[in-house]
Amino acid sequence: MIFEAVSTIAAAGLAGYSYLKSKGTGTSDSDKIQKIFANAEWQGKKGESIRLQRKQKFEGGYEYVYQLPLGFDRKKIEEKKYILEDGLNVRNQSFEINFSDLKDLKFNKTIVSQLKNLIKTKRKKKEIEVSFDGMLKIKIYDEPMPNIIEWRESLLIPNSWSVPIGITRKGDIVRHDFDNSKHLIVAGATGYGKSVILKLIVTTLIRQQPETVTLSLIDLKGGSAFHRFKDCKQRKHYSRDPETAEQVLKEVQNKMNHSFLKVVDKGYEDVKEAGIKERHFIIIDEAADLSDFPESMKIITDIARRGRSAGYYLIFCTQYPTAQVIPSQTKRNIIARLCYVVDTETASRVVLDEGGAEQLHDLPGRGIYKAGPKRYTLQSPFISNKQIASIIAPYIMENPKDGGDGQKSSETTKNRKHSLILEEV
Ligand SMILES: Nc1ncnc2c1ncn2[C@@H]1O[C@H](COP(=O)(O)OP(=O)(O)OP(=O)(O)O)[C@@H](O)[C@H]1O
Ligand SMILES: [Mg+2]
């Protein structure tokens, strides 16, 4: 069974290649695409071909727009995009070598293998995007996106609530400004960079707003992402299990209610207009683990709805983007979404309200950010744990007020049998 699936994929991937090999490569990408369509037998029931309607240049590449034969299932192409990509990259991998590359070459007997290596590293792979809006659109980009972008100090904007979340193909920095689009949903299949971006956001907020940011960190993956921040002075709550997370959310909601009334009763729209500097972030890594806790889910929806005015911003992260995990009311109140690679178009639709994330390049950190009409394909910067440690070092407290567990009420009463506990009556 597995062998069969693998061999089918391999055969399909070779389809574009073998056709071009036997018939010779076309001169342009549109010729090649047409040949790949024919070879992969992407055509109407009576052999009608997929017809090119127009080709247009956009900044960074070309877009080819096709009319599909009536009744043709577009998923055949969308789900097997790699056939197109493989075919387009056959014998056509251009590369640029400049002077600085040549100056490192050593003219000895290894020169041939040095040149081969240089060509290998410089080869440009054509990347494509396939979409459908009544017409089939194939975008072919001139430049591949970098596979990794190292985090650097210059990405920071001191004193702002704007956080760098990615770099586009053109090299533009995409930022999520929490004072504009208050909350954020982060989703993606396992291992594609959700926790890394959450750590980057937390580190950036601590660094840019050390005196005004408050963090409630809920890490339901056992603390692997947020443990490093638990002794930071900006951390208010820290929870690693759904039970204490519920307690944390209740406390946060109480505080949010006070802040909400303070702002709204004075006639302001939000904290920004009221001139209040403090912001409180509630960050949940793996929100799916709360979906069986209706009280927690209710509070999350309430924070998404009213938190924007009160300065309580939610970052809701999940590996399981389903309607049950991201309730529609929560989603409606969170317009900004960051979606890394997902398995299916359905998952992409749950997060972004459109397909696309299932077709992203299979790389950690490659994602789509959507906030209202804005939509960017991006590569998120990668921040290492070592970099994080050195940035947050000045804010680590030696004796955190709650011993660092951040779970004052419920944990203390349950576990510390011999402590004297004074509770407010
Ligand atoms: N922006 C990035 N650029 C390059 N590599 C990355 C990036 N983000 C993550 N990675 C790599 O992918 C690995 C997994 O990332 P991460 O832990 O964030 O995945 P995740 O989406 O949180 O997965 P899970 O759902 O299992 O928790 C990282 O350890 C790192 O090696
Ligand atoms: Mg994770």
Side-chain angles (χ1 to χ4, degrees):
M1 180 71 183
I2 290 173
F3 172 74
E4 197 179 296
V6 171
S7 57
T8 312
I9 290 168
L14 281 172
Y17 177 81
S18 57
Y19 187 93
L20 292 170
K21 214 61 188 152
S22 57
K23 304 276 175 188
T25 47
T27 47
S28 67
D29 283 342
S30 61
D31 287 348
K32 281 187 185 174
I33 293 173
Q34 217 66 56
K35 284 176 183 171
I36 296 164
F37 284 162
N39 190 45
E41 295 179 6
W42 288 333
Q43 56 191 22
K45 287 230 161 62
K46 292 182 183 153
E48 314 92 294
S49 54
I50 300 173
R51 287 210 314 273
L52 178 67
Q53 295 293 311
R54 57 180 188 278
K55 167 187 173 182
Q56 58 207 28
K57 175 132 189 71
F58 64 89
E59 216 184 315
Y62 278 95
E63 183 179 63
Y64 297 85
V65 181
Y66 292 90
Q67 169 111 52
L68 293 176
L70 227 55
F72 181 87
D73 180 5
R74 66 185 157 90
K75 286 204 171 135
K76 278 189 199 167
I77 298 181
E78 286 176 344
E79 283 169 6
K80 296 207 167 137
K81 192 183 83 162
Y82 59 90
I83 296 184
L84 273 170
E85 209 155 57
D86 289 354
L88 284 164
N89 280 298
V90 171
R91 281 213 247 148
N92 192 27
Q93 296 188 5
S94 57
F95 51 90
E96 268 170 33
I97 291 181
N98 49 35
F99 241 142
S100 59
D101 301 318
L102 292 176
K103 88 176 172 2
D104 295 332
L105 291 176
K106 297 203 169 45
F107 288 91
N108 54 28
K109 62 179 182 198
T110 63
I111 186 72
V112 176
S113 66
Q114 288 179 55
L115 280 168
K116 273 188 188 159
N117 277 340
L118 183 61
I119 289 167
K120 212 157 115 193
T121 51
K122 288 283 168 177
R123 217 160 232 167
K124 283 187 206 160
K125 188 169 184 281
K126 284 185 181 171
E127 286 183 8
I128 66 169
E129 241 175 57
V130 178
S131 61
F132 184 80
D133 65 354
M135 303 290 263
L136 175 76
K137 295 182 167 172
I138 300 175
K139 278 185 172 166
I140 304 183
Y141 294 98
D142 299 335
E143 295 287 333
M145 261 177 133
N147 292 355
I148 185 155
I149 292 169
E150 304 280 350
W151 181 88
R152 51 186 193 271
E153 189 83 23
S154 60
L155 289 171
L156 297 171
I157 305 181
N159 309 318
S160 111
W161 295 106
S162 186
V163 171
I165 51 162
I167 316 282
T168 66
R169 200 177 291 275
K170 284 191 283 170
D172 297 334
I173 301 171
V174 179
R175 296 177 192 280
H176 175 83
D177 186 346
F178 283 99
D179 255 0
N180 286 335
S181 340
K182 324 279 176 170
H183 315 298
L184 177 67
I185 290 176
V186 178
T190 180
Y192 281 97
K194 299 181 297 296
S195 298
V196 168
I197 197 72
L198 293 183
K199 288 188 284 181
L200 186 148
I201 292 173
V202 172
T203 309
T204 306
L205 291 170
I206 290 176
R207 179 64 179 266
Q208 291 182 174
Q209 297 278 6
E211 304 306 325
T212 40
V213 72
T214 300
L215 301 161
S216 286
L217 305 173
I218 298 178
D219 188 341
L220 300 174
K221 287 214 156 177
S224 52
F226 297 150
H227 192 260
R228 69 205 76 245
F229 302 111
K230 78 180 182 26
D231 295 338
C232 287
K233 68 169 192 166
Q234 293 84 357
R235 193 272 306 158
K236 170 95 174 157
H237 299 288
Y238 171 69
S239 153
R240 298 203 277 189
D241 61 83
E243 288 77 18
T244 44
E246 187 164 312
Q247 199 58 40
V248 165
L249 286 167
K250 280 181 184 161
E251 286 184 34
V252 168
Q253 190 185 33
N254 259 331
K255 287 267 161 36
M256 179 185 80
N257 289 342
H258 284 118
S259 175
F260 184 79
L261 293 178
K262 228 164 73 183
V263 173
V264 174
D265 285 359
K266 286 189 181 151
Y268 297 114
E269 195 181 313
D270 58 23
V271 273
K272 196 173 162 188
E273 199 181 281
I276 297 171
K277 291 205 166 67
E278 288 73 24
R279 305 285 183 272
H280 191 135
F281 287 76
I282 302 93
I283 309 180
I284 308 170
D285 195 359
E286 205 31 83
D289 288 348
L290 292 179
S291 59
D292 290 336
F293 292 76
E295 192 55 34
S296 294
M297 293 307 281
K298 240 168 73 188
I299 298 173
I300 290 171
T301 303
D302 189 36
I303 296 171
R305 196 165 57 87
R306 293 187 307 133
R308 66 184 70 239
S309 308
Y312 280 61
Y313 301 161
L314 178 70
I315 306 179
F316 183 100
C317 176
T318 183
Q319 176 190 334
Y320 308 98
T322 62
Q324 194 208 353
V325 173
I326 318 179
S328 59
Q329 226 194 331
T330 309
K331 221 175 99 173
R332 231 176 299 136
N333 285 295
I334 309 183
I335 61 150
R337 328 264 168 85
L338 174 59
C339 189
Y340 295 110
V341 178
V342 288
D343 302 337
T344 62
E345 189 192 339
T346 313
S348 175
R349 282 190 185 283
V350 172
V351 186
L352 299 168
D353 297 318
E354 62 183 36
E358 78 288 1
Q359 289 189 28
L360 286 167
H361 261 249
D362 196 12
L363 285 170
R366 184 65 57 93
I368 296 174
Y369 172 72
K370 206 177 149 199
K374 289 184 277 176
R375 181 190 190 280
Y376 306 97
T377 299
L378 48 75
Q379 179 68 32
S380 292
F382 177 75
I383 190 163
S384 67
N385 291 335
K386 210 167 144 197
Q387 284 171 314
I388 295 174
S390 94
I391 294 169
I392 64 173
Y395 310 106
I396 302 280
M397 296 185 298
E398 295 234 324
N399 300 306
K401 42 189 179 304
D402 52 15
D405 64 5
Q407 301 171 359
K408 289 164 278 181
S409 28
S410 49
E411 281 262 297
T412 356
T413 39
K414 243 193 278 167
N415 301 337
R416 298 192 193 155
K417 285 189 193 145
H418 306 293
S419 313
L420 172 66
I421 299 162
L422 299 174
E423 286 183 341
E424 202 178 295
V425 181

